[in-house]
């Protein structure tokens, strides 16, 4: 089969479109014919070697931890799926990914694909969508009428977080540049904040939670918007300082999203009902993965970048 692999850590140019052995399903796995996958920042962080101390991947390696496709074959003990089923999911981040024509995936990492979306749109959802869901509800425990500040609200995780929060009647302030203010409004953002002209901590106070994915001074300034007992949920390292949290009378957490098929199923329902939509910034053919990485590395993508495999 064809896949995109990298043989050494480096820039986007290390991604090579080449022939590799087609996987076979082990017990508890299915092989999925990949129709689309998406690019997440972790892809280029791994490729560049930024996460080497955290996890050393065996080279050559196939990236890609979103998949939408069709079950081609099933391993022993698989009862949930059969060939021909349309699935989407987030394959195990410790194993090789979906920048390929086929991928072997454990059944626990899959759910039925949204019926009203094509594979390109479905592939945009799992990793970013699960992260948004788990940050808002599993970790921050947000409920109707509470208030959240979502940083990078126009990005992959942020635009899902914004829409999920609005579905639960949570008040949302979101940060983005001038060019994305209208986009945030369209997604239902109650208080879009242009970070180029406005310091968010000047206008946001006593919030229940912050979803923080930018780090550095933005994290430091974000403590000021939380009410006593509020929570900062960080998506990137280093872990938030417990001392800072204590000093502000707040709580802090860092999360690493997990695949939860029940959440994927719930999100599929939301998108099928038309109440949530993935925004696609660009679709590249698989062989142009390097171009897709260059775009993602600008860190100014609106929504998601998708790689179409067939
Ligand atoms: N812990 C986990 O499990 C987990 C899971 C997923 C992602 N992550 C991490 O979370 C981060 C976000 O992921 P993502 O997929 O959402 O990334 P992304 O799609 O690449 O984010 C791009 C967005 O960031 C916005 N942005 C850039 N600078 C900003 C600033 N100073 N203030 C506000 N917004 C700004 C951009 O908006 P403008 O163009 O308008 O500036 C753009 O829409 C990444 O570092 C990723 O690695 C962690």
């Amino acid at each position: 089969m064809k896949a995109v692999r990298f043989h050494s850590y480096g820039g986007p140019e290390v991604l090579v479109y080449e022939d590799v052995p087609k996987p076979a399903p082990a017990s508890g796995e299915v092989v999925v014919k990949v129709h689309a996958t998406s690019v997440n920042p972790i892809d280029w962080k791994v490729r560049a070697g930024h996460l080497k101390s955290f996890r050393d991947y065996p080279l050559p390696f196939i990236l890609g931890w979103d998949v939408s496709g069709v079950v081609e074959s099933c391993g022993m003990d698989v009862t949930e799926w059969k060939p021909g089923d349309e699935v989407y999911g987030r394959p195990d981040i410790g194993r090789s990914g979906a920048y390929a024509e086929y991928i072997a995936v454990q059944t626990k990492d899959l759910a039925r694909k949204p019926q009203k979306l094509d594979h390109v749109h479905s592939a945009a959802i799992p990793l970013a969508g699960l992260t948004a869901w788990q940050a808002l509800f599993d970790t921050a425990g947000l409920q109707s009428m509470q208030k959240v500040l979502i940083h990078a609200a126009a990005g992959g995780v942020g635009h899902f977080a914004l829409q999920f929060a609005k579905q639960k009647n949570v008040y949302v302030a979101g940060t983005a540049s001038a060019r994305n203010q209208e986009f945030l409004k369209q997604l239902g953002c109650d208080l879009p904040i242009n970070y180029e002209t406005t310091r968010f901590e000047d206008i946001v106070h006593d919030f229940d939670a912050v979803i923080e994915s930018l780090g550095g001074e933005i994290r430091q300034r974000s403590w000021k918007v939380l009410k006593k007992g509020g929570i900062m949920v960080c998506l990137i390292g280093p872990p938030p300082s417990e001392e800072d949290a204590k000093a502000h009378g707040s709580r802090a957490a860092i999360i690493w999203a997990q695949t939860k098929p029940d959440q994927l199923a719930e999100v599929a329902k939301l998108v099928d009902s038309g109440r949530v939509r993935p925004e696609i910034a660009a679709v590249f053919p698989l062989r142009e993965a390097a171009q897709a990485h260059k775009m993602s590395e600008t860190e100014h993508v609106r929504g998601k970048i998708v790689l179409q495999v067939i």
Side-chain angles (χ1 to χ4, degrees):
M1 68 168 185
K2 290 289 187 195
V4 168
R5 298 196 295 189
F6 65 102
H7 294 248
S8 58
Y9 293 106
E13 69 285 352
V14 300
L15 297 173
V16 188
Y17 183 72
E18 59 188 350
D19 290 310
V20 308
K22 184 179 166 186
S27 177
E29 292 180 358
V30 298
V31 166
V32 176
K33 186 170 176 56
V34 182
H35 285 234
T37 179
S38 95
V39 176
N40 291 288
I42 189 174
D43 300 4
W44 51 261
K45 290 177 187 177
V46 168
R47 187 214 69 220
H50 297 333
L51 303 183
K52 259 199 282 190
S53 57
F54 176 63
R55 192 170 263 161
D56 209 3
Y57 289 95
L59 303 184
F61 191 73
I62 303 174
L63 297 161
W65 293 292
D66 278 315
V67 64
S68 183
V70 177
V71 173
E72 205 225 17
S73 58
C74 300
M76 297 236 301
D77 304 323
V78 172
T79 51
E80 308 93 309
W81 304 110
K82 58 180 189 319
D85 285 344
E86 292 197 310
V87 291
Y88 84 141
R90 197 214 66 166
D92 186 339
I93 231 132
R95 299 170 34 151
S96 82
Y99 286 17
E101 288 178 315
Y102 297 90
I103 180 173
V105 188
Q106 298 171 69
T107 56
K108 67 174 179 57
D109 292 331
L110 295 171
R112 196 165 296 281
K113 166 188 158 291
Q115 287 172 16
K116 295 199 178 147
L117 290 189
D118 58 17
H119 288 288
V120 163
H121 286 78
S122 299
I125 297 172
L127 191 149
L130 287 164
T131 306
W133 193 277
Q134 289 165 27
L136 293 169
F137 306 125
D138 294 357
T139 308
L142 283 166
Q143 295 181 355
S144 175
M145 310 300 284
Q146 289 191 305
K147 294 182 174 179
V148 63
L149 170 64
I150 300 172
H151 282 300
V157 175
H159 89 297
F160 285 122
L162 163 49
Q163 295 180 80
F164 296 159
K166 290 316 301 170
Q167 286 308 308
K168 302 259 182 181
N169 202 25
V170 172
Y171 180 93
V172 178
T175 61
S177 63
R179 107 187 154 92
N180 280 318
Q181 295 300 298
E182 195 51 42
F183 176 58
L184 297 195
K185 276 186 214 157
Q186 283 166 13
L187 297 184
C189 188
D190 300 287
L191 181 61
I193 302 170
N194 176 354
Y195 65 77
E196 295 168 309
T197 55
T198 307
R199 288 175 73 83
F200 58 83
E201 68 273 32
D202 291 344
I203 56 169
V204 174
H205 304 287
D206 288 327
F207 267 40
D208 298 282
V210 177
I211 309 300
E212 200 291 293
S213 57
L214 297 157
E217 55 110 19
I218 290 176
R219 180 177 294 177
Q220 283 314 315
R221 287 162 49 203
S222 294
W223 294 112
K224 296 182 193 149
V225 314
L226 286 168
K227 69 178 194 188
K228 296 277 175 237
I231 185 166
M232 169 118 67
V233 183
C234 300
L235 306 184
I236 57 167
S241 146
E242 283 299 330
E243 270 173 28
D244 285 348
K246 242 190 217 156
H248 290 88
S250 313
R251 294 169 295 139
I254 183 163
I255 67 160
W256 181 253
Q258 307 296 316
T259 308
K260 297 191 179 174
D262 56 325
Q263 292 177 352
L264 286 174
E266 182 135 8
V267 172
K269 260 194 235 159
L270 282 173
V271 293
D272 277 339
S273 71
R275 286 181 289 154
V276 167
R277 65 176 175 93
E279 171 78 8
I280 308 293
V283 181
F284 292 87
L286 178 62
R287 63 168 68 236
E288 290 176 21
Q291 285 305 113
H293 274 216
K294 279 184 197 159
M295 186 175 175
S296 179
E297 285 178 72
T298 66
E299 300 187 84
H300 290 289
V301 171
R302 178 187 295 168
K304 297 283 307 180
I305 301 168
V306 173
L307 295 175
Q308 195 163 19
V309 180
I310 54 170

